[in-house]
Coordinates of all heavy atoms in Angstrom, one line a residue:
M274 N 128.0 208.9 216.7 CA 129.2 208.3 216.5 C 129.1 207.0 215.8 O 128.2 206.2 216.2 CB 129.9 208.1 217.9 CG 131.1 208.9 218.1 SD 131.9 208.4 219.6 CE 131.3 209.7 220.7
S275 N 129.9 206.7 214.9 CA 129.8 205.4 214.2 C 130.6 204.3 215.0 O 131.7 204.7 215.6 CB 130.3 205.5 212.8 OG 131.7 205.8 212.8
V276 N 130.2 203.1 214.9 CA 130.9 202.0 215.5 C 132.0 201.5 214.6 O 131.7 201.0 213.5 CB 129.9 200.9 215.9 CG1 130.7 199.7 216.5 CG2 128.9 201.4 216.9
K277 N 133.2 201.6 215.0 CA 134.3 201.1 214.2 C 134.5 199.6 214.5 O 134.3 199.1 215.6 CB 135.6 201.8 214.6 CG 135.5 203.3 214.3 CD 136.8 204.0 214.7 CE 136.7 205.5 214.5 NZ 137.9 206.2 215.1
P278 N 135.0 198.8 213.5 CA 135.2 197.4 213.8 C 136.2 197.1 214.8 O 136.1 196.1 215.6 CB 135.6 196.8 212.4 CG 135.2 197.8 211.4 CD 135.1 199.2 212.1
Q279 N 137.2 198.0 215.0 CA 138.2 197.8 216.0 C 137.7 197.9 217.4 O 138.3 197.4 218.4 CB 139.4 198.6 215.8 CG 139.2 200.1 215.9 CD 139.1 200.7 214.5 OE1 138.6 200.0 213.5 NE2 139.6 201.9 214.3
H280 N 136.5 198.5 217.6 CA 135.9 198.6 219.0 C 135.6 197.2 219.4 O 135.7 196.8 220.6 CB 134.7 199.5 219.0 CG 135.0 200.9 218.8 ND1 136.1 201.5 219.5 CD2 134.4 201.9 218.1 CE1 136.1 202.8 219.1 NE2 135.1 203.0 218.3
Y281 N 135.1 196.3 218.5 CA 134.7 195.0 218.8 C 136.0 194.1 219.1 O 136.0 193.1 219.7 CB 133.9 194.3 217.7 CG 132.5 194.9 217.7 CD1 132.1 195.7 216.7 CD2 131.6 194.6 218.7 CE1 130.8 196.2 216.6 CE2 130.3 195.1 218.7 CZ 129.9 195.9 217.6 OH 128.7 196.5 217.6
D282 N 137.1 194.5 218.5 CA 138.4 193.8 218.7 C 139.0 194.2 220.1 O 139.7 193.4 220.7 CB 139.4 194.2 217.6 CG 139.0 193.7 216.2 OD1 138.2 192.7 216.2 OD2 139.4 194.3 215.2
V283 N 138.7 195.4 220.6 CA 139.2 195.8 221.9 C 138.5 195.1 223.0 O 139.1 194.5 223.9 CB 139.1 197.4 222.0 CG1 139.4 197.8 223.4 CG2 140.0 198.1 221.0
I284 N 137.2 195.1 223.0 CA 136.4 194.5 224.0 C 136.0 193.1 223.6 O 135.2 193.0 222.6 CB 135.1 195.3 224.4 CG1 135.6 196.7 224.9 CG2 134.2 194.6 225.3 CD1 134.5 197.6 225.3
R285 N 136.4 192.1 224.3 CA 136.1 190.7 223.9 C 134.8 190.2 224.4 O 133.9 189.8 223.7 CB 137.3 189.8 224.4 CG 138.6 190.1 223.8 CD 139.1 189.0 222.9 NE 140.3 189.3 222.2 CZ 141.5 189.1 222.6 NH1 141.7 188.6 223.7 NH2 142.5 189.5 221.8
K286 N 134.6 190.3 225.8 CA 133.4 189.8 226.4 C 133.3 190.4 227.8 O 134.3 190.7 228.4 CB 133.4 188.3 226.4 CG 134.5 187.7 227.2 CD 134.4 186.1 227.1 CE 135.6 185.5 227.9 NZ 135.6 184.1 227.8
P287 N 132.1 190.4 228.3 CA 132.0 190.8 229.7 C 132.3 189.6 230.6 O 132.2 188.5 230.2 CB 130.5 191.2 229.9 CG 129.8 190.4 228.8 CD 130.8 190.3 227.7
I288 N 132.8 189.9 231.8 CA 133.2 188.9 232.8 C 132.1 189.0 233.9 O 131.9 190.0 234.5 CB 134.6 189.1 233.3 CG1 135.6 189.0 232.2 CG2 134.9 188.2 234.4 CD1 137.0 189.3 232.6
I289 N 131.5 187.8 234.0 CA 130.4 187.7 235.1 C 130.8 186.8 236.1 O 130.8 185.5 235.9 CB 129.1 187.3 234.4 CG1 128.7 188.3 233.3 CG2 128.0 187.3 235.5 CD1 127.5 187.9 232.5
T290 N 131.3 187.3 237.2 CA 131.8 186.5 238.4 C 131.2 187.1 239.6 O 130.6 188.2 239.6 CB 133.3 186.4 238.5 OG1 133.8 187.8 238.6 CG2 133.9 185.8 237.2
E291 N 131.5 186.5 240.7 CA 131.0 187.1 242.0 C 131.7 188.4 242.3 O 131.1 189.4 242.7 CB 131.3 186.1 243.1 CG 130.7 186.5 244.5 CD 130.8 185.4 245.5 OE1 131.2 184.2 245.1 OE2 130.6 185.7 246.7
K292 N 133.0 188.5 242.0 CA 133.7 189.7 242.2 C 133.2 190.9 241.3 O 133.1 192.0 241.7 CB 135.2 189.5 242.0 CG 136.0 190.7 242.3 CD 137.5 190.4 242.2 CE 138.4 191.6 242.5 NZ 139.8 191.3 242.4
S293 N 132.9 190.5 240.0 CA 132.4 191.6 239.1 C 131.0 192.0 239.4 O 130.6 193.1 239.2 CB 132.5 191.1 237.6 OG 131.6 190.0 237.4
T294 N 130.2 191.1 240.0 CA 128.9 191.5 240.5 C 129.0 192.4 241.6 O 128.2 193.4 241.7 CB 128.1 190.2 240.9 OG1 128.1 189.3 239.8 CG2 126.7 190.6 241.2
M295 N 129.9 192.2 242.5 CA 130.1 193.2 243.6 C 130.6 194.5 243.1 O 130.2 195.6 243.6 CB 131.1 192.6 244.6 CG 130.6 191.4 245.4 SD 131.8 190.6 246.5 CE 132.4 191.9 247.4
A296 N 131.4 194.5 242.1 CA 131.9 195.8 241.5 C 130.8 196.5 240.8 O 130.8 197.8 240.8 CB 133.0 195.5 240.5
S297 N 129.8 195.8 240.2 CA 128.7 196.4 239.5 C 127.8 197.2 240.5 O 127.1 198.1 240.1 CB 127.9 195.4 238.8 OG 127.2 194.6 239.6
E298 N 127.8 196.8 241.8 CA 127.0 197.6 242.8 C 127.6 199.0 243.0 O 126.9 199.8 243.5 CB 127.0 196.8 244.1 CG 126.2 195.5 244.0 CD 126.3 194.6 245.2 OE1 127.0 195.1 246.2 OE2 125.8 193.5 245.2
H299 N 128.9 199.2 242.6 CA 129.5 200.5 242.8 C 129.7 201.2 241.5 O 130.5 202.1 241.3 CB 130.9 200.3 243.5 CG 130.7 199.7 244.9 ND1 130.2 200.4 245.9 CD2 131.1 198.4 245.3 CE1 130.2 199.6 247.0 NE2 130.7 198.4 246.6
G300 N 128.9 200.8 240.4 CA 128.9 201.4 239.1 C 130.1 201.0 238.2 O 130.5 201.8 237.3
A301 N 130.6 199.8 238.4 CA 131.7 199.4 237.6 C 131.3 198.1 236.8 O 130.4 197.4 237.3 CB 133.0 199.0 238.4
V302 N 131.8 198.0 235.6 CA 131.6 196.8 234.8 C 132.9 196.2 234.4 O 133.9 196.9 234.1 CB 130.8 197.2 233.5 CG1 130.4 196.0 232.7 CG2 129.5 198.0 233.9
V303 N 133.0 194.9 234.3 CA 134.3 194.2 234.1 C 134.2 193.5 232.7 O 133.3 192.8 232.4 CB 134.6 193.2 235.1 CG1 136.0 192.6 234.9 CG2 134.5 193.8 236.5
F304 N 135.2 193.8 231.9 CA 135.3 193.2 230.5 C 136.6 192.5 230.3 O 137.6 193.0 230.9 CB 135.2 194.3 229.4 CG 133.9 195.0 229.4 CD1 133.7 196.3 229.9 CD2 132.8 194.4 228.8 CE1 132.5 196.9 229.8 CE2 131.6 195.0 228.7 CZ 131.4 196.3 229.2
E305 N 136.6 191.5 229.5 CA 137.9 190.9 229.0 C 138.2 191.7 227.8 O 137.4 191.9 226.9 CB 137.8 189.4 228.7 CG 139.1 188.8 228.2 CD 139.0 187.4 227.8 OE1 138.2 186.6 228.5 OE2 139.6 187.0 226.8
V306 N 139.5 192.2 227.7 CA 139.9 193.1 226.6 C 141.1 192.5 225.9 O 141.7 191.6 226.4 CB 140.1 194.5 227.1 CG1 138.9 195.2 227.6 CG2 141.2 194.6 228.1
A307 N 141.4 193.1 224.8 CA 142.6 192.6 224.0 C 143.9 192.9 224.9 O 143.9 193.9 225.6 CB 142.7 193.3 222.7
I308 N 144.8 192.0 224.8 CA 146.0 192.2 225.7 C 146.8 193.4 225.3 O 147.5 194.0 226.2 CB 146.9 190.9 225.6 CG1 147.8 190.7 226.7 CG2 147.6 190.8 224.3 CD1 147.2 190.1 227.9
D309 N 146.7 193.9 224.1 CA 147.5 195.1 223.7 C 146.7 196.4 223.8 O 147.2 197.4 223.4 CB 148.1 194.9 222.3 CG 147.0 194.7 221.3 OD1 145.9 194.3 221.6 OD2 147.3 194.8 220.1
A310 N 145.4 196.3 224.3 CA 144.6 197.5 224.3 C 145.0 198.4 225.5 O 145.4 197.9 226.6 CB 143.1 197.1 224.5
N311 N 145.0 199.7 225.3 CA 145.3 200.6 226.4 C 144.1 201.3 226.9 O 143.0 201.1 226.3 CB 146.4 201.7 225.9 CG 145.9 202.5 224.7 OD1 144.7 202.7 224.5 ND2 146.9 202.9 223.9
K312 N 144.2 202.1 228.0 CA 143.0 202.6 228.7 C 142.2 203.6 227.8 O 141.0 203.5 227.8 CB 143.4 203.3 230.0 CG 143.9 202.3 231.0 CD 144.3 202.9 232.3 CE 144.8 201.9 233.3 NZ 145.2 202.5 234.6
P313 N 142.8 204.5 227.0 CA 142.0 205.4 226.2 C 141.2 204.6 225.1 O 140.1 204.9 224.8 CB 143.0 206.3 225.5 CG 144.2 206.3 226.5 CD 144.2 205.0 227.1
Q314 N 141.8 203.5 224.5 CA 141.1 202.7 223.6 C 139.9 202.0 224.2 O 138.8 201.9 223.6 CB 142.0 201.7 223.0 CG 143.1 202.2 222.0 CD 144.1 201.1 221.6 OE1 144.3 200.1 222.3 NE2 144.6 201.3 220.4
I315 N 140.1 201.5 225.4 CA 139.0 200.8 226.1 C 137.9 201.8 226.4 O 136.7 201.5 226.2 CB 139.5 200.1 227.4 CG1 140.6 199.0 227.0 CG2 138.4 199.6 228.2 CD1 141.4 198.5 228.2
K316 N 138.3 203.0 226.9 CA 137.3 204.0 227.2 C 136.4 204.4 226.0 O 135.2 204.4 226.0 CB 137.9 205.2 227.8 CG 137.0 206.4 228.1 CD 137.7 207.5 228.7 CE 136.7 208.7 229.1 NZ 137.3 209.8 229.7
E317 N 137.1 204.6 224.9 CA 136.4 205.0 223.6 C 135.5 203.9 223.1 O 134.4 204.1 222.7 CB 137.4 205.3 222.5 CG 136.8 205.8 221.2 CD 137.8 206.0 220.1 OE1 139.1 205.9 220.4 OE2 137.4 206.1 219.0
A318 N 136.0 202.6 223.2 CA 135.2 201.5 222.8 C 133.9 201.3 223.6 O 132.8 201.1 223.1 CB 136.0 200.2 222.8
V319 N 134.0 201.4 224.9 CA 132.9 201.3 225.8 C 131.9 202.4 225.6 O 130.7 202.2 225.5 CB 133.3 201.2 227.3 CG1 132.1 201.3 228.2 CG2 134.1 199.9 227.5
E320 N 132.4 203.7 225.5 CA 131.5 204.8 225.3 C 130.7 204.7 223.9 O 129.6 205.0 223.8 CB 132.2 206.1 225.4 CG 132.6 206.5 226.8 CD 133.4 207.8 226.9 OE1 133.9 208.3 225.8 OE2 133.5 208.3 228.0
T321 N 131.4 204.2 222.9 CA 130.8 204.1 221.6 C 129.8 202.9 221.5 O 128.7 203.1 221.0 CB 131.9 203.9 220.5 OG1 132.8 205.0 220.6 CG2 131.3 203.9 219.1
L322 N 130.2 201.8 222.0 CA 129.4 200.6 221.9 C 128.1 200.6 222.7 O 127.1 200.2 222.3 CB 130.2 199.3 222.2 CG 131.3 198.9 221.2 CD1 132.1 197.8 221.8 CD2 130.7 198.6 219.9
F323 N 128.3 201.2 223.9 CA 127.1 201.1 224.9 C 126.5 202.5 225.1 O 125.4 202.5 225.7 CB 127.6 200.6 226.2 CG 128.1 199.2 226.2 CD1 129.5 198.9 226.1 CD2 127.3 198.1 226.1 CE1 130.0 197.6 226.1 CE2 127.7 196.8 226.0 CZ 129.1 196.6 226.0
G324 N 127.0 203.5 224.6 CA 126.4 204.9 224.7 C 126.4 205.4 226.1 O 125.4 205.9 226.6
V325 N 127.4 205.2 226.9 CA 127.5 205.6 228.3 C 128.8 206.5 228.4 O 129.6 206.6 227.6 CB 127.6 204.4 229.3 CG1 126.3 203.6 229.2 CG2 128.8 203.6 229.0
K326 N 128.8 207.2 229.6 CA 130.0 208.0 229.9 C 130.9 207.3 230.9 O 130.4 206.8 231.9 CB 129.6 209.4 230.5 CG 128.8 210.3 229.5 CD 129.7 210.7 228.4 CE 130.7 211.8 228.7 NZ 131.5 212.2 227.6
V327 N 132.1 207.2 230.6 CA 133.1 206.4 231.4 C 133.8 207.4 232.3 O 134.3 208.4 231.9 CB 134.1 205.6 230.5 CG1 135.1 205.0 231.4 CG2 133.3 204.6 229.7
K328 N 133.9 207.0 233.6 CA 134.6 207.9 234.6 C 136.1 207.5 234.7 O 136.9 208.3 234.7 CB 133.9 207.7 235.9 CG 134.4 208.6 237.0 CD 133.6 208.4 238.3 CE 133.9 209.3 239.4 NZ 133.1 209.1 240.6
A329 N 136.3 206.2 234.8 CA 137.7 205.7 234.9 C 137.8 204.2 234.4 O 136.8 203.5 234.3 CB 138.1 205.7 236.4
V330 N 139.0 203.9 234.0 CA 139.3 202.5 233.5 C 140.6 202.0 234.3 O 141.6 202.7 234.3 CB 139.6 202.5 232.0 CG1 140.0 201.1 231.5 CG2 138.4 203.0 231.2
N331 N 140.4 200.9 234.9 CA 141.5 200.2 235.6 C 141.7 198.9 234.9 O 140.7 198.2 234.6 CB 141.3 200.0 237.1 CG 141.1 201.3 237.8 OD1 141.7 202.3 237.4 ND2 140.4 201.3 238.9
T332 N 143.0 198.5 234.7 CA 143.2 197.2 234.0 C 144.1 196.3 234.8 O 144.9 196.8 235.7 CB 144.0 197.5 232.6 OG1 145.2 198.2 232.9 CG2 143.1 198.3 231.7
T333 N 144.0 195.1 234.6 CA 144.9 194.1 235.2 C 145.2 192.9 234.2 O 144.3 192.6 233.4 CB 144.2 193.5 236.5 OG1 145.1 192.5 237.1 CG2 142.9 192.9 236.2
I334 N 146.4 192.4 234.3 CA 146.8 191.3 233.4 C 147.0 190.1 234.3 O 147.8 190.1 235.2 CB 148.0 191.6 232.6 CG1 147.8 192.7 231.7 CG2 148.5 190.4 231.9 CD1 149.0 193.2 230.9
T335 N 146.2 189.0 234.1 CA 146.4 187.8 234.8 C 147.2 186.8 233.9 O 146.9 186.5 232.8 CB 145.0 187.1 235.1 OG1 144.2 188.1 235.8 CG2 145.2 185.9 235.9
K336 N 148.4 186.4 234.4 CA 149.2 185.5 233.7 C 148.6 184.1 233.6 O 148.0 183.6 234.5 CB 150.6 185.4 234.4 CG 151.3 186.7 234.5 CD 151.7 187.3 233.2 CE 152.5 188.6 233.3 NZ 152.7 189.2 232.1
G337 N 148.8 183.5 232.4 CA 148.2 182.1 232.2 C 148.9 181.1 233.1 O 150.1 181.1 233.2
K338 N 148.1 180.2 233.6 CA 148.7 179.1 234.4 C 149.3 178.0 233.6 O 148.9 177.7 232.5 CB 147.6 178.5 235.3 CG 146.9 179.4 236.3 CD 145.9 178.6 237.1 CE 145.3 179.5 238.2 NZ 144.3 178.7 238.9
N339 N 150.3 177.3 234.2 CA 150.8 176.1 233.6 C 149.9 174.9 233.9 O 149.7 174.7 235.1 CB 152.3 175.9 234.0 CG 153.2 176.9 233.5 OD1 153.1 177.3 232.4 ND2 154.1 177.3 234.4
K340 N 149.5 174.2 233.0 CA 148.5 173.1 233.2 C 149.0 171.9 232.4 O 149.8 172.0 231.5 CB 147.1 173.4 232.7 CG 146.4 174.5 233.6 CD 146.1 173.9 234.9 CE 145.2 174.9 235.7 NZ 144.8 174.3 237.0
R341 N 148.5 170.7 232.8 CA 148.8 169.5 232.1 C 147.5 168.9 231.6 O 146.4 168.9 232.3 CB 149.4 168.5 233.0 CG 150.8 168.9 233.6 CD 151.3 167.9 234.6 NE 151.6 166.6 234.0 CZ 152.8 166.3 233.6 NH1 153.8 167.1 233.7 NH2 153.0 165.1 233.1
F342 N 147.5 168.4 230.3 CA 146.3 167.8 229.8 C 146.8 166.5 229.1 O 147.6 166.5 228.2 CB 145.7 168.7 228.7 CG 144.5 168.1 228.1 CD1 143.3 167.9 228.8 CD2 144.5 167.7 226.7 CE1 142.2 167.3 228.2 CE2 143.4 167.1 226.1 CZ 142.2 166.9 226.9
R343 N 146.4 165.4 229.6 CA 146.8 164.0 229.2 C 148.3 163.9 229.2 O 148.9 163.3 228.2 CB 146.2 163.7 227.8 CG 144.7 163.6 227.8 CD 144.2 163.2 226.4 NE 142.7 163.1 226.5 CZ 142.0 163.0 225.4 NH1 142.5 162.9 224.2 NH2 140.7 162.9 225.5
G344 N 148.9 164.4 230.2 CA 150.4 164.3 230.4 C 151.2 165.3 229.6 O 152.4 165.3 229.7
I345 N 150.5 166.1 228.8 CA 151.2 167.1 228.0 C 151.2 168.5 228.7 O 150.1 168.9 229.0 CB 150.6 167.2 226.6 CG1 150.7 165.9 225.9 CG2 151.3 168.3 225.8 CD1 149.9 165.8 224.6
K346 N 152.3 169.1 228.9 CA 152.4 170.4 229.5 C 151.9 171.5 228.6 O 152.2 171.4 227.4 CB 153.8 170.7 230.0 CG 154.2 169.8 231.2 CD 155.6 170.2 231.6 CE 156.0 169.2 232.7 NZ 157.4 169.6 233.2
G347 N 151.2 172.4 229.1 CA 150.7 173.5 228.3 C 150.6 174.8 229.2 O 150.6 174.7 230.4
T348 N 150.3 175.9 228.5 CA 150.1 177.1 229.3 C 148.9 177.8 228.8 O 148.7 177.9 227.6 CB 151.3 178.1 229.0 OG1 152.5 177.4 229.4 CG2 151.2 179.3 229.9
R349 N 148.0 178.2 229.7 CA 146.8 179.0 229.3 C 147.2 180.4 228.9 O 148.3 180.9 229.3 CB 145.9 179.1 230.5 CG 145.2 177.8 230.8 CD 144.2 178.0 231.9 NE 143.5 176.7 232.3 CZ 142.7 176.6 233.3 NH1 142.5 177.6 234.2 NH2 142.2 175.4 233.6
K350 N 146.4 181.0 228.1 CA 146.7 182.4 227.6 C 146.6 183.4 228.7 O 145.9 183.2 229.7 CB 145.8 182.7 226.5 CG 144.3 182.9 226.9 CD 143.5 183.3 225.7 CE 142.0 183.4 226.2 NZ 141.3 184.3 225.5
D351 N 147.4 184.5 228.6 CA 147.3 185.6 229.5 C 146.0 186.4 229.2 O 145.6 186.4 228.1 CB 148.5 186.6 229.3 CG 149.8 185.9 229.7 OD1 149.8 184.9 230.3 OD2 150.8 186.5 229.3
V352 N 145.3 186.9 230.3 CA 144.1 187.6 230.1 C 144.2 189.0 230.7 O 144.7 189.1 231.8 CB 142.9 186.8 230.9 CG1 141.6 187.5 230.8 CG2 142.8 185.4 230.3
K353 N 143.7 189.9 229.9 CA 143.7 191.3 230.4 C 142.2 191.7 230.7 O 141.3 191.5 229.9 CB 144.2 192.3 229.4 CG 144.3 193.7 229.9 CD 145.1 194.6 228.9 CE 145.5 195.9 229.5 NZ 146.3 196.7 228.6
K354 N 142.0 192.2 231.9 CA 140.6 192.6 232.4 C 140.6 194.1 232.6 O 141.6 194.7 233.0 CB 140.2 191.9 233.7 CG 140.0 190.5 233.6 CD 139.4 190.0 234.9 CE 140.4 189.2 235.7 NZ 139.9 188.6 236.9
A355 N 139.5 194.7 232.2 CA 139.3 196.1 232.4 C 138.1 196.4 233.3 O 137.0 195.9 233.1 CB 139.1 196.8 231.1
Y356 N 138.4 197.0 234.4 CA 137.3 197.5 235.4 C 136.9 198.9 235.0 O 137.7 199.8 235.2 CB 137.8 197.4 236.8 CG 138.1 196.0 237.3 CD1 139.2 195.4 237.1 CD2 137.1 195.4 238.1 CE1 139.5 194.1 237.5 CE2 137.3 194.1 238.6 CZ 138.5 193.5 238.3 OH 138.7 192.2 238.8
V357 N 135.8 199.0 234.3 CA 135.3 200.3 233.8 C 134.3 200.9 234.8 O 133.2 200.3 235.0 CB 134.6 200.1 232.4 CG1 134.2 201.4 231.8 CG2 135.6 199.4 231.4
T358 N 134.7 202.0 235.3 CA 133.8 202.7 236.2 C 133.0 203.8 235.4 O 133.6 204.5 234.7 CB 134.6 203.5 237.3 OG1 135.4 202.5 238.0 CG2 133.7 204.1 238.4
L359 N 131.7 203.7 235.6 CA 130.8 204.6 234.8 C 130.4 205.8 235.6 O 130.4 205.8 236.9 CB 129.5 203.8 234.5 CG 129.7 202.5 233.7 CD1 128.4 201.8 233.5 CD2 130.4 202.8 232.3
E360 N 130.1 206.9 234.9 CA 129.6 208.1 235.5 C 128.2 207.8 236.2 O 127.6 206.9 235.9 CB 129.4 209.2 234.5 CG 130.7 209.7 233.9 CD 131.5 210.7 234.7 OE1 131.0 211.1 235.8 OE2 132.6 211.0 234.3
E361 N 127.9 208.7 237.2 CA 126.6 208.6 237.9 C 125.4 208.6 236.9 O 125.4 209.4 236.0 CB 126.4 209.7 238.9 CG 127.3 209.7 240.1 CD 127.1 208.5 241.0 OE1 125.9 208.2 241.2 OE2 128.0 207.9 241.5
G362 N 124.5 207.6 237.1 CA 123.3 207.6 236.2 C 123.5 206.7 235.0 O 122.5 206.5 234.2
N363 N 124.7 206.2 234.7 CA 124.9 205.4 233.5 C 125.0 203.9 234.0 O 125.6 203.6 235.0 CB 126.2 205.7 232.8 CG 126.1 207.1 232.1 OD1 125.2 207.3 231.3 ND2 127.0 208.0 232.4
T364 N 124.4 203.0 233.2 CA 124.4 201.6 233.5 C 124.6 200.8 232.2 O 124.2 201.2 231.2 CB 123.1 201.1 234.2 OG1 122.0 201.4 233.4 CG2 123.0 201.8 235.6
I365 N 125.2 199.6 232.4 CA 125.3 198.7 231.3 C 124.7 197.3 231.8 O 125.2 196.9 232.8 CB 126.7 198.5 230.8 CG1 127.3 199.8 230.2 CG2 126.8 197.4 229.8 CD1 128.8 199.7 229.9
D366 N 123.8 196.8 231.1 CA 123.2 195.5 231.4 C 124.0 194.4 230.6 O 123.7 194.2 229.5 CB 121.7 195.4 231.2 CG 121.1 194.1 231.7 OD1 121.8 193.4 232.5 OD2 119.9 193.9 231.3
V367 N 125.0 193.8 231.3 CA 125.8 192.8 230.6 C 125.1 191.5 230.4 O 125.6 190.7 229.5 CB 127.2 192.6 231.3 CG1 128.0 193.8 231.2 CG2 127.0 192.1 232.7
S368 N 124.0 191.2 231.0 CA 123.4 189.9 230.9 C 122.6 189.8 229.6 O 122.3 188.7 229.2 CB 122.4 189.7 232.1 OG 121.4 190.7 232.1
T369 N 122.3 190.9 228.9 CA 121.5 190.9 227.7 C 122.4 190.7 226.5 O 122.0 190.2 225.4 CB 120.7 192.2 227.5 OG1 121.6 193.3 227.5 CG2 119.7 192.3 228.6
G370 N 123.7 191.1 226.5 CA 124.6 191.0 225.4 C 124.5 192.2 224.5 O 123.8 193.2 224.7
L371 N 125.3 192.2 223.4 CA 125.3 193.4 222.5 C 124.2 193.4 221.5 O 124.0 192.5 220.8 CB 126.7 193.4 221.7 CG 127.9 193.8 222.5 CD1 129.1 193.6 221.7 CD2 127.7 195.2 222.9

């Protein structure tokens, strides 16, 4: 399978937090994805880029917080996260990068 440029547009970066580390113990990997990406696109991108079989994709959208910087009000961007569950025997080492 050839890697399409839009696969890199769908998956932005891996998310490495305490919660995502706990999810990785159960065969899941967490990525920040494009806000308009859907589950089939995320599944195809992960399978193509990393060469693994995906079992399920769960997504969540975190709304951006209202913040102040030097007295000026602003809003952080909305972030979409994808919890990608892998088939048995498949792993992705997100600490090494692409």
Side-chain angles (χ1 to χ4, degrees):
M274 247 190 261
S275 65
V276 176
K277 298 178 185 174
Q279 58 260 34
H280 291 317
Y281 290 108
D282 296 332
V283 171
I284 296 181
R285 298 245 170 92
K286 62 183 177 182
I288 296 176
I289 302 170
T290 59
E291 189 172 349
K292 185 175 181 179
S293 67
T294 305
M295 290 172 55
S297 68
E298 294 173 2
H299 300 289
V302 184
V303 184
F304 293 103
E305 180 181 322
V306 295
I308 201 84
D309 59 345
N311 56 30
K312 291 181 183 184
Q314 288 174 332
I315 295 167
K316 179 179 179 177
E317 181 187 352
V319 170
E320 286 181 344
T321 305
L322 292 175
F323 297 102
V325 294
K326 294 296 282 180
V327 173
K328 186 177 185 181
V330 177
N331 295 332
T332 58
T333 179
I334 296 177
T335 305
K336 300 295 182 187
K338 294 181 176 181
N339 292 321
K340 291 289 189 178
R341 297 174 67 92
F342 180 69
R343 294 185 180 172
I345 299 170
K346 292 182 182 177
T348 305
R349 290 185 180 169
K350 64 178 181 154
D351 296 345
V352 176
K353 185 170 190 175
K354 289 190 257 185
Y356 290 82
V357 179
T358 306
L359 303 175
E360 294 280 354
E361 291 291 323
N363 290 304
T364 58
I365 296 175
D366 188 12
V367 293
S368 60
T369 59
L371 284 174

